[in-house]
Amino acid sequence: KEYVNDPTPDKLSNDFVFRGPVIGPLCKKDFIATFESAGKDLKTAFPDLVPNSFGFSADDPVEPNRVWYFERARGTFTGAFNHPVVGKIEPTGAEYIAPPEARSVIFDDDGLVKYQSVGYVTDRFTGDTTGGRGAVFGMYAVMGQNIDAGVGSIVTTMLQKMTALLPEGTVPLSFSKQEDLPEWWTDRRMGSEA
């Protein structure tokens, strides 16, 4: 629970990987850069954000170092958001009521986070103002940015591949370069690729 409540970079292993349904894999340096830029603006846009983490389970029969948990985030869009592509989005006061979402972290033998997964909506019909979207895509939906967050989305996949060609730092990364990922990460799918 400590990492979930305070996800600071010093709790990440050097071979850390972040993955969501359509974001990632991100290596440690790219995760930190992406979430420091986008995360700061999201905290401004949703200053009352409460993740509501619950249901922590550390009894995975296949991966004993994996902790599974859920989130049902809540917040209000009351601050301006500096979108990396469309510019400043003014607040509307809209409620952010996220659907329940499964997340997980895997710890290495030193107690550092080696892997984190987020954004896997478990019931898109339950108490939701995001159109069933998880993680940052749910926040974007509340801000009027209805990005297709579906795995295998042709549009999202193409946009992610195009932004990967832009100069570094232009927009937050959707995935790291293959050569920047640690050796243990063997899945070749990037971003929203199915």
Side-chain angles (χ1 to χ4, degrees), residues 56-58 60 63-69 103-107:
F56 289 83
S57 172
D60 187 313
E63 296 172 291
N65 288 357
R66 190 171 204 157
V67 176
W68 292 93
Y69 63 100
R103 294 177 170 224
S104 75
V105 291
I106 296 176
F107 294 93

Side-chain angles (χ1 to χ4, degrees), residues 4-5 50-54 56 69-74 96 98-103 116 118 122 135:
V4 171
N5 293 329
V50 179
N52 291 319
S53 304
F54 68 99
F56 289 83
Y69 63 100
F70 298 93
E71 283 195 359
R72 294 191 81 168
R74 302 290 186 267
Y96 170 54
E101 180 182 309
R103 294 177 170 224
Q116 180 176 15
V118 306
T122 60

Side-chain angles (χ1 to χ4, degrees), residues 12 14 28 30 36 41 63 66 75 83 89 95 127 135 148 167 178 188:
L12 305 176
N14 288 333
K28 181 178 179 176
D30 292 341
E36 281 181 352
D41 288 334
E63 296 172 291
R66 190 171 204 157
H83 191 284
I89 301 173
E95 278 189 278
D148 182 356
Q178 192 69 44
R188 306 298 268 182

Side-chain angles (χ1 to χ4, degrees), residues 100-189:
E101 180 182 309
R103 294 177 170 224
S104 75
V105 291
I106 296 176
F107 294 93
D108 67 13
D109 292 338
D110 296 320
L112 297 173
V113 177
K114 179 177 182 170
Y115 176 71
Q116 180 176 15
S117 67
V118 306
Y120 294 90
V121 171
T122 60
D123 186 349
R124 64 188 177 104
F125 304 105
T126 302
D128 168 40
T129 61
T130 71
R133 294 170 179 89
V136 70
F137 289 94
M139 294 175 159
Y140 280 165
V142 169
M143 292 186 283
Q145 303 299 305
N146 291 310
I147 301 167
D148 182 356
V151 173
S153 164
I154 293 170
V155 172
T156 302
T157 300
M158 292 306 295
L159 286 172
Q160 289 176 327
K161 288 184 183 224
M162 288 182 353
T163 58
L165 301 173
L166 296 173
E168 195 170 315
T170 306
V171 295
L173 293 174
S174 294
F175 52 83
S176 295
K177 294 176 184 168
Q178 192 69 44
E179 61 267 21
D180 291 338
L181 294 167
E183 285 184 23
W184 72 264
W185 183 263
T186 58
D187 193 303
R188 306 298 268 182
R189 292 172 289 184

